[in-house]
Amino acid sequence: MRVAIAGGGIGGLTLGRALAERGVQADVYEQAGELREIGAAVALSANGVRELERLGLGEGLAAISTQPSSLCIRRSDGTLICREPMGEGNVYPEAFGSAYYGVHRVPLLQLLAEGLDPDRIHLAHRVTDASEDGRLRFENGTEAMADVVVAADGVHSAVRRALRFGGESVFSGTVGYRGLVPVSEIPSLPEPSAIQFWAGSGRHLLHYPIDDGQTINFLAVVRTTDWQSEAWMEKCDPTESAHAFAGWHPAVCEMVAAVSESARWALHDHTPLERWHLGRVVLLGDAAHAMLPHQGQGANQTIEDAAALAVHLASADTAAPEPALERYDVQRRARTTRVQMYSRRAVDLLHVDANRFAERDGAFAALPTDLAWIHGHDARGTAEADRHGNSAVHA
């Protein structure tokens, strides 16, 4: 089995590691001249972390990550709505089997790439065309043929477009402002070691610690009526986000005002696809199911995809891999569609008007139970059960 992976991000590299573990040959083709991803940091929940630990990355991952002490949800004035212990008392790992981490993307990509043959990571290979017989064509004039092509090339997937899988991008009606701020510049921040949501009418702020608690990674989200730019990101005045959160708790104001350069991101997801594979080509991660960031599941669902797909490819018939791709498709598509819907619902809940605050606060109190189906999921175990004909649970 020869596998060509388009995209050297978290999904593509995780798949490469998972396939190597099973003795499957894979080449990774990355369009950039170095391994990097958009965005500064990523939150990894237990459903993603457990798969990386199975690949022998647990110790290395823990060394570059920060475990939040708790999950706090607050009103815009700082009033605490609910607080759930996480790393504190080892509550979260005991509940879900693995830790919850905040980690910078660059060291995460380096960790994933370390165990791969460097001769099989091909940089500066931008996909220009793909065909369902397993052929990739690149901007540099070269081609690759494989028994299976995996499109792990992100939300703007060139492979998905070339084969017309569909999936229209949907603007969520929100824009995001991202930033990294030294914790020393946010003196008013209560419990800086926690992952926290601050909720208000038409806007919210999420942040969590990275760099051993020395840095806060934040995403500030604001409702907007329209997005005119063809690009999904555009530069803006750093004071724009500060104005949007004027009058909020001092810690919020300190955080959003601390960035010297800023950009606004139009937050999109995609309509669920009717299929994830065509011939010898299959989709993975954002190429298959781009989702809003409000459940922190983009990277984690991508890691789940990689873990599941590796199981199915390892047992596939090289001459006819389509049945294995179909099993992966059926296993993963229903779950990721459900996570997409929950991500959409989350922002609606966070942004309710003042007359619905009591309803919102009650819903937040039920979060640990409500989200167990996400964080407690075992993607690899489910794929192995499917492979042996026991497919009772896909949730």
Side-chain angles (χ1 to χ4, degrees):
M1 173 71 71
R2 294 170 300 124
V3 178
I5 303 170
I10 292 173
L13 295 178
T14 301
L15 178 62
R17 292 291 297 256
L19 289 172
E21 181 196 42
R22 294 172 178 271
V24 177
Q25 176 179 311
D27 285 87
V28 178
Y29 298 91
E30 166 57 35
Q31 66 177 349
E34 59 181 341
L35 293 176
R36 58 181 171 81
E37 276 206 352
I38 293 174
V42 61
L44 297 178
S45 51
N47 49 310
V49 171
R50 87 174 85 258
E51 302 303 342
L52 299 182
E53 290 173 336
R54 284 168 167 165
L55 297 176
L57 302 176
E59 186 176 336
L61 181 61
I64 61 174
S65 301
T66 302
Q67 190 173 178
S69 56
S70 69
L71 165 66
C72 297
I73 302 180
R74 301 178 182 273
R75 292 187 176 185
S76 60
D77 63 0
T79 301
L80 188 63
I81 298 171
C82 63
R83 181 183 185 277
E84 295 292 334
M86 295 185 72
E88 178 184 289
N90 216 35
V91 171
Y92 181 93
E94 289 184 358
F96 299 113
S98 291
Y100 191 107
Y101 290 135
V103 60
H104 200 288
R105 289 178 182 265
V106 172
L108 176 59
L109 290 179
Q110 291 172 343
L111 178 67
L112 290 169
E114 280 174 4
L116 295 175
D117 181 348
D119 291 335
R120 295 200 174 279
I121 300 177
H122 310 276
L123 303 177
H125 278 66
R126 180 185 295 274
V127 174
T128 56
D129 195 17
S131 54
E132 60 183 277
D133 62 353
R135 185 186 303 274
L136 287 174
R137 295 180 177 85
F138 303 101
E139 190 175 60
N140 60 16
T142 62
E143 294 186 357
M145 280 292 296
D147 299 309
V148 172
V149 166
V150 181
D153 52 342
V155 64
H156 300 293
S157 171
V159 177
R160 187 187 65 233
R161 290 197 307 271
L163 293 177
R164 305 190 182 205
F165 277 93
E168 298 298 321
S169 64
V170 179
F171 177 53
S172 66
T174 57
V175 296
Y177 305 86
R178 307 175 192 269
L180 292 174
V181 182
V183 71
S184 60
E185 295 186 19
I186 321 169
S188 302
L189 181 61
E191 196 173 347
S193 59
I195 179 171
Q196 304 199 49
F197 287 87
W198 303 68
S201 299
R203 62 208 64 210
H204 79 272
L205 177 81
L206 160 69
H207 62 83
Y208 54 85
I210 62 171
D211 297 335
D212 206 23
Q214 299 305 303
T215 304
I216 298 297
N217 178 74
F218 78 81
L219 171 65
V221 179
V222 179
R223 286 279 183 195
T224 187
T225 55
D226 199 8
W227 181 264
Q228 299 294 338
S229 174
E230 291 186 7
W232 286 18
M233 184 273 285
E234 59 186 18
K235 296 290 185 181
C236 67
D237 192 309
T239 62
E240 183 175 308
S241 56
H243 289 320
F245 289 88
W248 281 45
H249 187 276
V252 172
C253 297
E254 291 164 359
M255 195 179 303
V256 297
V259 295
S260 57
E261 295 183 8
S262 187
R264 68 174 75 87
W265 300 73
L267 300 181
H268 290 72
D269 62 6
H270 275 93
T271 54
L273 300 177
E274 294 183 0
R275 61 181 180 182
W276 284 12
H277 71 97
L278 180 64
R280 293 176 175 268
V281 179
V282 65
L283 307 181
L284 180 146
D286 283 351
H289 51 69
M291 56 186 63
L292 299 175
H294 312 308
Q295 291 289 355
Q297 283 299 305
N300 293 290
Q301 292 305 306
T302 296
I303 293 169
E304 284 190 16
D305 287 351
L309 183 56
V311 170
H312 292 298
L313 288 180
S315 61
D317 180 349
T318 301
E322 291 85 355
L325 303 184
E326 174 66 16
R327 288 194 297 271
Y328 159 77
D329 185 330
V330 170
Q331 177 198 339
R332 295 296 303 155
R333 190 154 43 90
R335 174 170 167 79
T336 56
T337 298
R338 187 181 177 198
V339 176
Q340 278 183 309
M341 296 306 106
Y342 264 66
S343 298
R344 291 179 184 177
R345 285 173 50 189
V347 72
D348 293 335
L349 186 61
L350 286 162
H351 289 193
V352 297
D353 293 331
N355 61 355
R356 294 183 58 202
F357 279 0
E359 173 191 346
R360 176 200 66 189
D361 295 355
F364 283 147
L367 277 180
T369 301
D370 194 34
L371 298 181
W373 66 274
I374 296 180
H375 294 239
H377 186 68
D378 182 349
R380 177 170 170 171
T382 302
E384 289 173 343
D386 279 358
R387 186 164 60 89
H388 291 100
N390 178 14
S391 56
V393 178
H394 288 153

